[in-house]
Amino acid sequence: MTTVFAQAPLEGWFEADDEARNARITEEKYSLTLFEKFRLMDKYMPLHLQLFAVLINSFFVLYEGWASAALSPFACQDIDDGTVLESEEYYYANYQQAVNSRGYWQLNMNQACYKGEHLSKWTPIGIVMSIIVCGTTVRV
């Protein structure tokens, strides 16, 4: 005589266990204080990985400022163009004294762009800093 066992459907068989485990994990995750979380991270994460995480996060926060500072030597602005438009009154053209073909440096509006100290000192610094900050990537 053969015995036939009724097979229970496997759908939802482990759902109760999964829900209980997820509830326990969620409860543990939100019941820890920040200090306890840091202590657990210190316990289970090696020092070199912690330092790497700090380095990546600091680059993420500081990169925008570094890129802005590296590109600032190239920030030039036109003030007066020396031309008279038909819609403007004539006397305005007589007072356009800040005429430079390449504009003026935004960090020092008394310095014409790509002339004098800007060309000899700040443009090479800007090129080198742009290559270092904007041209390099973090390789993992």
Side-chain angles (χ1 to χ4, degrees):
M1 183 165 177
T2 59
T3 306
V4 178
F5 295 101
Q7 294 185 359
L10 293 178
E11 292 180 21
W13 182 259
F14 296 105
E15 283 184 14
D17 292 337
D18 288 342
E19 289 175 7
R21 184 175 63 240
N22 288 338
R24 190 176 64 247
I25 289 172
T26 304
E27 181 183 340
E28 289 175 359
K29 181 169 61 171
Y30 291 115
S31 66
L32 295 176
T33 64
L34 184 63
F35 182 72
E36 291 169 337
K37 289 179 184 179
F38 281 137
R39 201 168 356 157
L40 284 175
M41 185 180 69
D42 194 34
K43 180 179 180 182
Y44 292 111
M45 191 175 190
L47 179 62
H48 68 281
L49 291 179
Q50 291 179 29
L51 293 175
F52 184 71
V54 168
L55 182 71
I56 293 297
N57 286 325
S58 64
F59 279 145
F60 180 75
V61 170
L62 297 174
Y63 181 77
E64 182 181 355
W66 289 344
S68 176
L71 295 173
S72 66
F74 306 112
C76 296
Q77 181 177 359
D78 288 332
I79 298 175
D80 295 331
D81 57 2
T83 60
V84 178
L85 300 176
E86 292 179 10
S87 63
E88 296 177 352
E89 295 184 26
Y90 176 72
Y91 68 89
Y92 180 72
N94 294 333
Y95 296 107
Q96 290 188 11
Q97 297 177 1
V99 178
N100 182 23
S101 62
R102 296 186 177 175
Y104 290 88
W105 191 25
Q106 287 185 350
L107 295 179
N108 181 3
M109 292 300 277
N110 292 324
Q111 176 66 49
C113 273
Y114 306 110
K115 292 184 179 176
E117 183 183 3
H118 184 255
L119 179 64
S120 64
K121 181 179 179 183
W122 295 108
T123 303
I125 290 174
I127 291 170
V128 171
M129 289 305 298
S130 296
I131 291 171
I132 290 172
V133 173
C134 300
T136 59
T137 58
V138 177
R139 302 198 191 276
V140 180

